[in-house]
Amino acid sequence: METATRAYPPGEHPDQKPPIGQSGVLYWMHKNLFSSPFNVILTLLTAYFLYLLLPPLFGWLMIDSVFVADSRDHCRELGSGACWGFIGKRLGQFTYGFYPHDERWRVVLCFALFVAACVPILWDGAPNRKKWLYFAAAFPFIAFWLLIGGNGSIAAYGILFALVVVPVVYFSPIDDADGADTGGLTYVLLAVWAFLLIGLQNIFFSTDVDIGIGGLGNVMRTLITLLLIGLTMVPLFHRGMAGKLRRQWATGFFALAALWHFVGGTNFGFSSDHLLTIVDTDQFGGFMLTMVIGVTGIVVSLPLGILLALGRQSDLHIIRWVCTGFIEFIRGVPLIALLFVASTMLNYFLPPGSNFDLLLRVLIMVVLFSAAYLAEVVRGGLQAIPKGQTEAADAMGLRYWQSMRLIVLPQALKISIPGIVNTFIGLFKDTTLVVIIGLLDPLGIGRASLSDTKWQGLSTEVYVFIAIFFFICCFSMSRYSIYLENKLHTGHRED
Amino acid sequence: MNDKTELAAQLAVSDQQMIRIQQMHKWYGQFHVLKDINLTVNAGERIVVCGPSGSGKSTLIRCINRLEEHQKGEIWVDGTELTSDLKQIEQIRREVGMVFQHFNLFPHLTVLENCTLAPIWVRKMPKAEAEQVARKYLERVKIPEQADKYPGQLSGGQQQRVAIARSLCMNPKIMLFDEPTSALDPEMIKEVLDVMVELARDGMTMICVTHEMGFAKTVANRVIFMDEGEIIEQNEPEEFFNNPQSPRTQEFLSQILLH
């Protein structure tokens, strides 16, 4: 018997540490860099290659480069590297496009608010997260007002939406838990639709709507607006209201108030004064334009993509056919073609005399395009969820939207994170395509600036600079997605 | 053995009908899965359904909470008829709990959240109360200490007990078990069966698809044998095992009891 050679009797072996030399820097280098002659050669070759590449690159970018200069010739006198002085001179234009100089603070403020709105959304450990989320819900409307200008009625409705409608529909006490059911979704869509109407009326359509209520007088119309807004708030104070009624009430009156505002044309009594000067969207440009298109595209296309993916899986034939047809059509057409359609052909379909903003048209196309891609990514995630999950949800009496929102989508979206972020990154970079239809994104600004006679021949600097901007944005999205995947990992293995 | 068989006899069965299935048929496309099923289950009955694989036993109990749709005949559950009407389906599903072969726990939610989900969203129970109820049932299936873990961190037997607790949190009148121990390692089967015996002792109406003949002998008051979509034979466990009538039942029993 071998038992004599055992160090411990059976069942009494203590836990021991692993042998020395199986960890540490040297061990890692030996294992990964010098494990075989072939690997040694590869390592040395790579090191040589990096030696050839990095020092000159670093020299050009940093050491020999010139950060302050008056012209290209001045640059060349000062150093042999990159001429960042040119970028510095043009930085305002690269950032704001042709946004009026005196109004640029609005863009800066908007960006600061954007960062603040991102915090509670991206980081679930944020202190007072729930309150911040209200702000995040109001942010798009505030941003809209800040960037475009006007009398602030849009921001006012946005705040109303975030502070009343969102909490009533989504965060009200659990006794109306079916709030996130079909009902909740419908009401939010209704509210969003009402918003689009005001937005379109105020900014994008030059056609006037007159249904003959002008005679009511401005004070009267404003009073009616305020009354409707007051009614919107009732569910916040009347706790005894049944859950379903609360939602219908808040969203219904909100939509009515917005609609009344739209047809009645009241702007809280100061209809003609503009608190902020209106800036036409054709003055948008540079990184600001990239952010506007990229962020709007991401924020709007994700929910739309999810709905499309669910629609494509639906048991209802018509919905399935419509969604499938839409997805296949959009995916089969290049984005450039869609943008051309947006810039030229869309006017044929609109009533004569209406002036449909070019940026809005571009936004719609970008959103539809990325939504179609997202739908397919999400569908992949949906298909990976075992059928048992929906069966268990069904067996407990959850409804379709409940089981999607609570059971299927959280899991499907988690699986789809790499694909979703991939699509987002693609969308963000595709925003540069708008230069083709005449919007001045950073590439457009860059190309325009190259024709400056004082600064000729600096295209490398311009494009490297733009590339760095895009790399920072896309790389942070990529890192965030990895962080998210790790955070959502609950250590489960599906068998 | 003797006191075990007595358990089944002690458990009272009321004469109130919980489930009535009449001349029910089901097809998958052209394939006739269930043929002329007639079955009545009274409150407090514990029924074990057995039969060779593919005989339609799972399909039968999945028809009772409309995970599968029947094409002909009637199914009544607790006085409500199962039709395509969504309201009635939801009402029946609230009263009928189901435990699956592969547990089907929600991997992205903790054990406690798994248990409180349906009471909160379907029964509209306040969260604190739902958690209290969930902890009570987790205690009953003997895993209160696992409440804050994720299902993926538990063993198979523990997961299945969570699944039972999750169903019980809805306070159902009927429990359906679809091969609850088939996916478990042998040493974990007992812990799940013990919980089920407890349940039977408390008077739960149960229909259980299983091959655990020991369980059938201990708690069932009726054993149903199915083959090729038909109910071939049903009887009290003792009669069923000692004196099977149909040759197909005899063959089936001889095959599973030999091992």
Side-chain angles (χ1 to χ4, degrees):
Chain A
M1 294 296 274
E2 298 293 320
T3 40
T5 60
R6 293 180 66 140
Y8 301 94
E12 287 179 29
H13 203 300
D15 295 338
Q16 291 177 336
K17 284 186 177 160
I20 305 165
Q22 296 293 303
S23 54
V25 182
L26 283 178
Y27 173 73
W28 184 89
M29 282 175 64
H30 176 73
K31 188 163 167 265
N32 293 294
L33 299 177
F34 304 107
S35 60
S36 70
F38 181 64
N39 269 0
V40 171
I41 294 172
L42 277 185
T43 305
L44 292 178
L45 274 178
T46 313
Y48 181 64
F49 179 69
L50 287 178
Y51 166 74
L52 285 185
L53 183 75
L54 285 184
L57 186 67
F58 192 65
W60 185 82
L61 279 174
M62 304 291 294
I63 297 167
D64 301 328
S65 60
V66 179
F67 285 90
V68 182
D70 294 326
S71 70
R72 182 191 146 90
D73 297 337
H74 187 204
C75 250
R76 284 287 163 269
E77 285 164 25
L78 291 171
S80 59
C83 181
W84 298 126
F86 174 50
I87 305 290
K89 278 260 161 28
R90 295 275 181 161
L91 198 58
Q93 226 177 56
F94 270 114
T95 313
Y96 306 104
F98 297 100
Y99 208 84
H101 205 277
D102 291 343
E103 307 290 336
R104 282 181 181 175
W105 62 271
R106 282 154 54 177
V107 181
V108 176
L109 177 61
C110 187
F111 183 73
L113 292 179
F114 167 70
V115 174
C118 279
V119 171
I121 296 175
L122 300 183
W123 179 37
D124 67 354
N128 294 324
R129 183 173 187 233
K130 226 167 171 179
K131 285 173 197 153
W132 278 45
L133 278 175
Y134 296 153
F135 166 68
F139 171 74
F141 308 106
I142 298 170
F144 186 85
W145 178 50
L146 275 177
L147 294 181
I148 304 255
N151 55 36
S153 61
I154 293 185
Y157 276 100
I159 292 166
L160 183 67
F161 179 74
L163 292 189
V164 180
V165 180
V166 172
V168 168
V169 171
Y170 276 104
F171 302 126
S172 43
I174 207 70
D175 63 79
D176 50 272
D178 67 7
D181 216 1
T182 29
L185 196 69
T186 321
Y187 306 139
V188 171
L189 285 178
L190 189 70
V192 170
W193 173 80
F195 253 124
L196 284 178
L197 280 184
I198 340 171
L200 292 175
Q201 181 250 354
N202 269 14
I203 306 300
F204 293 114
F205 279 113
S206 54
T207 44
D208 283 327
V209 177
D210 183 8
I211 56 164
I213 49 173
L216 270 176
N218 205 14
V219 175
M220 190 64 194
R221 285 183 289 157
T222 304
L223 280 180
I224 295 180
T225 310
L226 290 176
L227 176 73
L228 288 172
I229 289 177
L231 284 169
T232 306
M233 297 190 179
V234 167
L236 278 192
F237 302 104
H238 184 37
R239 290 280 170 193
M241 227 176 205
K244 207 165 181 181
L245 183 63
R246 292 166 71 91
R247 267 188 308 286
Q248 285 169 344
W249 185 291
T251 344
F253 275 111
F254 174 77
L256 264 183
L259 201 63
W260 170 255
H261 175 92
F262 169 55
V263 293
T266 64
N267 290 324
F268 305 110
F270 38 86
S271 56
S272 54
D273 297 2
H274 285 149
L275 287 177
L276 291 176
T277 326
I278 289 194
V279 178
D280 281 337
T281 56
D282 55 14
Q283 290 174 290
F284 286 24
F287 297 133
M288 170 218 167
L289 182 67
T290 304
M291 291 299 281
V292 167
I293 301 176
V295 172
T296 316
I298 285 172
V299 170
V300 184
S301 68
L302 182 61
L304 194 60
I306 293 173
L307 287 179
L308 280 172
L310 290 175
R312 195 171 180 167
Q313 303 243 311
S314 170
D315 292 333
L316 307 168
H317 291 280
I318 307 233
I319 291 184
R320 194 168 68 226
W321 291 335
V322 168
C323 291
T324 311
F326 175 83
I327 292 169
E328 294 302 338
F329 171 73
I330 298 280
R331 285 203 309 165
V333 178
L335 179 57
I336 298 254
L338 289 176
L339 291 177
F340 270 122
V341 169
S343 76
T344 56
M345 279 171 58
L346 225 55
N347 273 341
Y348 290 111
F349 304 119
L350 293 170
S354 57
N355 172 26
F356 196 43
D357 188 83
L358 179 63
L359 179 61
L360 181 67
R361 288 186 261 170
V362 166
L363 280 176
I364 291 175
M365 287 305 177
V366 168
V367 162
L368 295 184
F369 189 77
S370 101
Y373 276 86
L374 281 172
E376 287 300 277
V377 172
V378 173
R379 187 167 70 101
L382 288 174
Q383 279 173 345
I385 306 302
K387 199 154 174 283
Q389 293 289 308
T390 41
E391 280 182 356
D394 286 348
M396 295 192 306
L398 291 176
R399 294 182 188 157
Y400 175 79
W401 284 107
Q402 290 177 331
S403 101
M404 287 300 135
R405 205 183 79 104
L406 299 167
I407 308 299
V408 176
L409 281 176
Q411 298 181 58
L413 292 179
K414 192 188 94 184
I415 305 174
S416 318
I417 288 172
I420 290 175
V421 174
N422 196 27
T423 312
F424 283 169
I425 289 175
L427 178 152
F428 197 76
K429 290 189 296 186
D430 279 353
T431 56
T432 50
L433 290 176
V434 298
V435 75
I436 305 239
I437 56 165
L439 293 182
L440 288 175
D441 83 314
L443 279 186
I445 300 272
R447 202 189 280 175
S449 65
L450 287 177
S451 55
D452 188 337
T453 44
K454 251 171 84 183
W455 297 94
Q456 271 179 345
L458 292 174
S459 54
T460 317
E461 280 85 345
V462 168
Y463 290 123
V464 165
F465 174 63
I466 296 170
I468 290 174
F469 165 76
F470 276 98
F471 179 78
I472 290 173
C473 292
C474 296
F475 187 66
S476 14
M477 282 195 256
S478 156
R479 294 310 301 180
Y480 179 73
S481 97
I482 292 172
Y483 155 79
L484 203 60
E485 277 172 63
N486 288 337
K487 197 192 73 181
L488 294 177
H489 185 71
T490 55
H492 68 274
R493 303 175 306 275
E494 277 301 325
D495 46 341
Chain B
M1 195 67 210
N2 215 6
D3 57 321
K4 274 193 174 177
T5 24
E6 270 169 25
L7 170 64
Q10 286 165 8
L11 296 171
V13 174
S14 94
D15 47 7
Q16 183 205 346
Q17 276 186 5
M18 286 306 277
I19 301 173
R20 193 173 81 233
I21 302 176
Q22 281 177 328
Q23 289 149 29
M24 190 264 278
H25 293 257
K26 170 167 182 61
W27 287 265
Y28 283 131
Q30 292 296 313
F31 178 53
H32 202 164
V33 213
L34 293 177
K35 301 166 186 164
D36 194 26
I37 303 290
N38 289 284
L39 180 67
T40 309
V41 182
N42 286 345
E45 274 203 280
R46 290 88 44 202
I47 292 178
V48 162
V49 185
C50 61
S53 67
S55 59
K57 23 186 217 313
S58 288
T59 314
L60 170 62
I61 67 165
R62 287 160 60 89
C63 280
I64 294 172
N65 64 355
R66 194 79 173 188
L67 286 184
E68 305 281 353
E69 198 177 319
H70 62 282
Q71 277 90 33
K72 217 175 136 190
E74 289 177 12
I75 300 179
W76 291 77
V77 181
D78 195 25
T80 312
E81 192 189 353
L82 257 183
T83 57
S84 52
D85 183 78
L86 274 177
K87 278 244 151 63
Q88 290 180 3
I89 295 177
E90 276 166 20
Q91 195 194 331
I92 287 173
R93 283 175 175 169
R94 277 200 288 272
E95 307 305 332
V96 179
M98 186 159 197
V99 175
F100 299 86
Q101 181 178 2
H102 295 288
F103 330 135
N104 297 353
L105 293 175
F106 306 129
H108 62 301
L109 301 177
T110 63
V111 164
L112 192 68
E113 287 165 342
N114 263 279
C115 294
T116 54
L117 188 94
I120 288 176
W121 291 88
V122 180
R123 288 247 190 257
K124 323 279 185 222
M125 200 184 273
K127 194 173 169 208
E129 191 188 334
E131 284 182 356
Q132 205 183 337
V133 171
R135 287 188 194 279
K136 184 182 94 187
Y137 282 112
L138 286 173
E139 187 98 37
R140 224 175 114 179
V141 300
K142 303 184 184 66
I143 33 174
E145 71 284 359
Q146 312 284 7
D148 296 319
K149 288 193 181 166
Y150 286 95
Q153 297 165 312
L154 305 184
S155 74
Q158 290 173 324
Q159 290 194 40
Q160 192 60 299
R161 284 186 282 153
V162 171
I164 295 174
R166 179 176 72 173
S167 290
L168 292 177
C169 285
M170 282 293 280
N171 199 11
K173 294 180 176 159
I174 303 164
M175 285 286 284
L176 307 174
F177 293 86
D178 188 0
E179 308 209 23
T181 55
S182 311
L184 295 177
D185 292 337
E187 80 252 37
M188 293 169 182
I189 291 179
K190 189 176 173 294
E191 62 187 55
V192 171
L193 288 180
D194 284 349
V195 169
M196 291 167 62
V197 172
E198 276 296 296
L199 253 180
R201 212 184 283 264
D202 293 346
M204 176 66 76
T205 312
M206 296 164 68
I207 302 183
C208 184
V209 173
T210 184
H211 292 130
E212 295 296 331
M213 291 305 138
F215 174 75
K217 285 174 187 164
T218 319
V219 293
N221 62 331
R222 194 152 34 123
V223 181
I224 291 178
F225 174 70
M226 286 186 74
D227 194 16
E228 298 186 355
E230 287 182 88
I231 294 182
I232 303 289
E233 186 170 347
Q234 47 178 313
N235 217 329
E236 287 174 10
E238 218 168 302
E239 274 295 292
F240 181 85
F241 290 110
N242 298 336
N243 192 13
Q245 304 294 310
S246 126
R248 274 193 274 177
T249 318
Q250 289 162 5
E251 193 195 335
F252 176 75
L253 285 178
S254 71
Q255 274 166 356
I256 60 165
L257 293 180
L258 268 180
H259 294 285

